[in-house]
Amino acid sequence: MSNEGVVEQSSAGLRELVKAGEEVIGYIYPHAPLELMLAHGLTPSLVRALPGVASGFEESLQTFACSYVRNLYNQRTNNQLPYLRALLFPSNTCDSLQNLTDIWRFRFPSDRVFRLSYPVSRYTNDDSGFIFLTQELKLLSKAIENILDRPFLESGYERAVSLIRDFRLDTQYLYSSRIVDPEVLSYAELARLVRQFYSTPLPVVASEIHDISVAIQESMESRGLSDSVLSVMTALQNRDFSSVKISRNDAKPRIIIIGGMIDPQAIASIINGIQGVTDSIITLDLLSFGFKSVFTPPVNEKGDPYEEMAKSILGAPGEPTQEGLTYRMNFLRDLVRAFDIDGIVICEQSFCDPDQFEAPSMEKAADKIGVRTVRIPIDPELSDRSRMEVRIQSFLESMSENEVM
Ligand code: SF4
């Protein structure tokens, strides 16, 4: 794989937006309030780690910085980021990002850096997390208005709520269809569509996704699989798998990919790079840039905008910052059983503390229900690509010889 090509392709959306004269605000954390940024007349674009980014200024970061934030920082120091009107960083998610924000502000004082603090958990005995995040969103909105001279416009907010709701419902349908029949759409294509929207959340991109979703709905209907898809989608939205209807039609392994800030397209590329294997073995991912953001409940347009945005963000499924360990492991167990999963690939971003805390619990939860797991350390540069491919291949072979296409 040519890294240069991947860098160009991956940052194309962001560059195109800037070239087209959009006022772009880059965001780092997948659970950023996109509706709020759009309501202020800014176009939010996900700034993510990319392969092919040369290191150079890593010594500025603390030793605990993960490979993901090192990559982001190097993009800035290597001038690989286009001009952004501002950047939104999260606070209270992990030490690496907290540190990155501080260093970024210090090293690049002319960059406009906003910070949104997330509450530790939504599972408190009161509404304190929700009240806290609502206030944080109001403060962010005021700061954007004062510093960038961009007021919050009701009309922009309404358009944004509808745009992002449509994107979520369409991609939720695509995710659910793949669980019923992983051949219906390649995982790489689904990951590409999701990435494209988070990089360029424009109506034209949502409309391409909608057309694909409609075509797949028609195909599933004609094959009599609509009810199954809807049962899966409802189960994932409500986190209740009691009514899921799935029948397995072939002997291929059904794998889920678990992790945090891992790029779904990178995973698809690794799996498709293994000889004799395609990404149709991936039934589902539980990644922050995939499932966890796609299945975040859409904002309700009827209530107070800040409260509704806070509720939506706090409804993101499966994030360790928001849901307790027991709840997440029970969800994993129920999902593995309902979707007839054979194996779990646990991806860990190199030097990511949250991923490394999480992995042993996932192994234990899978072990209890007799599902195999493999742990794969990964960095954005895919510097150990061959070893990752070999480990996944051996894992697949250990599950069932001759069953993987
Ligand atoms: S990969 Fe892990 S340590 Fe790095 S920014 Fe994400 S959560 Fe933080």
Side-chain angles (χ1 to χ4, degrees):
M1 180 195 291
S2 150
N3 280 340
E4 289 301 313
V6 176
V7 172
E8 269 170 32
Q9 206 185 14
S10 304
S11 57
L14 183 52
R15 287 185 192 285
E16 270 165 28
L17 283 177
V18 173
K19 245 202 229 156
E22 297 277 338
E23 298 260 303
V24 180
I25 179 166
Y27 66 97
I28 311 293
Y29 189 56
H31 305 299
L34 303 188
E35 294 87 351
L36 184 140
M37 294 183 268
L38 287 160
H40 281 277
L42 300 165
T43 305
S45 182
L46 182 62
V47 179
R48 58 176 56 190
L50 301 173
V53 172
S55 61
F57 292 88
E58 292 186 353
E59 65 272 18
S60 306
L61 298 172
Q62 301 284 50
T63 48
F64 56 74
C66 70
S67 56
Y68 193 87
V69 308
R70 286 180 189 281
N71 183 291
L72 292 177
Y73 190 64
N74 284 325
Q75 286 183 52
R76 179 64 182 90
T77 54
N78 297 345
N79 293 319
Q80 283 175 277
L81 286 180
Y83 170 75
L84 298 170
R85 187 82 201 277
L87 276 155
L88 176 63
F89 284 88
S91 174
N92 221 8
T93 52
C94 65
D95 289 345
S96 284
L97 275 173
Q98 194 83 18
N99 178 240
L100 176 69
T101 318
D102 294 338
I103 303 277
W104 199 297
R105 277 181 163 156
F106 181 76
R107 278 290 308 274
F108 305 107
S110 59
D111 288 2
R112 290 186 188 89
V113 170
F114 296 101
R115 205 174 212 172
L116 178 67
S117 294
Y118 291 77
V120 174
S121 169
R122 69 168 186 259
Y123 289 105
T124 49
N125 293 328
D126 52 32
D127 282 344
S128 55
F130 162 68
I131 293 165
F132 174 83
L133 186 57
T134 303
Q135 289 307 319
E136 274 290 300
L137 291 169
K138 286 183 183 168
L139 290 172
L140 174 64
S141 180
K142 270 269 159 284
I144 292 177
E145 178 167 355
N146 292 341
I147 295 168
L148 303 182
D149 196 20
R150 286 268 181 180
F152 182 101
L153 299 176
E154 282 288 336
S155 56
Y157 172 71
E158 282 162 18
R159 276 197 304 276
V161 167
S162 149
L163 174 76
I164 291 159
R165 182 197 305 111
D166 291 350
F167 158 75
R168 292 223 160 99
L169 294 179
D170 281 327
T171 45
Q172 286 178 12
Y173 190 88
L174 296 178
Y175 259 82
S176 307
S177 301
R178 287 197 75 268
I179 292 167
V180 174
D181 175 11
E183 302 274 1
V184 76
L185 176 74
S186 77
Y187 179 73
E189 176 63 359
L190 177 56
R192 181 192 73 79
L193 293 170
V194 172
R195 160 135 88 181
Q196 199 180 356
F197 186 81
Y198 285 125
S199 306
T200 47
L202 301 176
V204 63
V205 177
S207 159
E208 182 198 349
I209 295 171
H210 183 64
D211 290 347
I212 294 171
S213 174
V214 168
I216 289 186
Q217 282 177 42
E218 286 168 2
S219 152
M220 294 311 240
E221 253 167 48
S222 69
R223 295 165 59 199
L225 294 173
S226 268
D227 285 353
S228 292
V229 177
L230 292 177
S231 75
V232 167
M233 189 163 155
T234 311
L236 289 170
Q237 287 167 339
N238 301 334
R239 295 167 223 183
D240 172 0
F241 298 91
S242 53
S243 307
V244 167
K245 297 178 223 151
I246 285 193
S247 53
R248 190 167 175 161
N249 296 322
D250 60 36
K252 279 188 197 172
R254 287 170 67 83
I255 302 296
I256 53 176
I257 309 287
I258 301 192
M261 293 170 70
I262 305 286
D263 182 2
Q265 273 195 304
I267 294 297
S269 145
I270 291 166
I271 299 273
N272 284 324
I274 302 172
Q275 205 175 9
V277 178
T278 71
D279 63 21
S280 63
I281 61 161
I282 303 175
T283 305
L284 170 72
D285 74 65
L286 294 180
L287 302 174
S288 300
F289 295 125
F291 170 82
K292 293 177 194 173
S293 44
V294 163
F295 274 87
T296 295
V299 168
N300 180 348
E301 75 279 15
K302 296 229 169 77
D304 170 80
Y306 300 98
E307 289 184 359
E308 295 304 330
M309 285 188 282
K311 268 188 219 158
S312 166
I313 291 170
L314 292 174
E319 287 295 0
T321 39
Q322 292 169 199
E323 288 178 353
L325 185 68
T326 311
Y327 182 89
R328 278 178 291 118
M329 292 309 119
N330 289 343
F331 176 71
L332 177 63
R333 181 201 58 207
D334 294 348
L335 177 149
V336 162
R337 284 181 174 148
F339 298 158
D340 205 4
I341 298 300
D342 303 308
I344 302 177
V345 176
I346 302 170
C347 296
E348 296 165 75
Q349 189 77 244
S350 300
F351 309 110
C352 168
D353 279 349
D355 281 1
Q356 279 156 28
F357 276 123
E358 198 76 350
S361 306
M362 289 174 184
E363 283 182 306
K364 230 189 259 170
D367 197 41
K368 269 194 191 158
I369 50 170
V371 172
R372 289 169 192 247
T373 53
V374 62
R375 282 169 69 169
I376 305 288
I378 186 167
D379 61 36
E381 296 80 27
L382 304 185
S383 50
D384 212 6
R385 186 185 175 117
S386 313
R387 206 141 69 96
M388 286 186 247
E389 288 179 1
V390 168
R391 287 192 68 185
I392 295 174
Q393 188 164 28
S394 316
F395 175 63
L396 295 173
E397 283 167 3
S398 75
M399 283 195 301
S400 64
E401 294 272 7
N402 307 322
E403 287 181 349
V404 182
M405 299 281 295

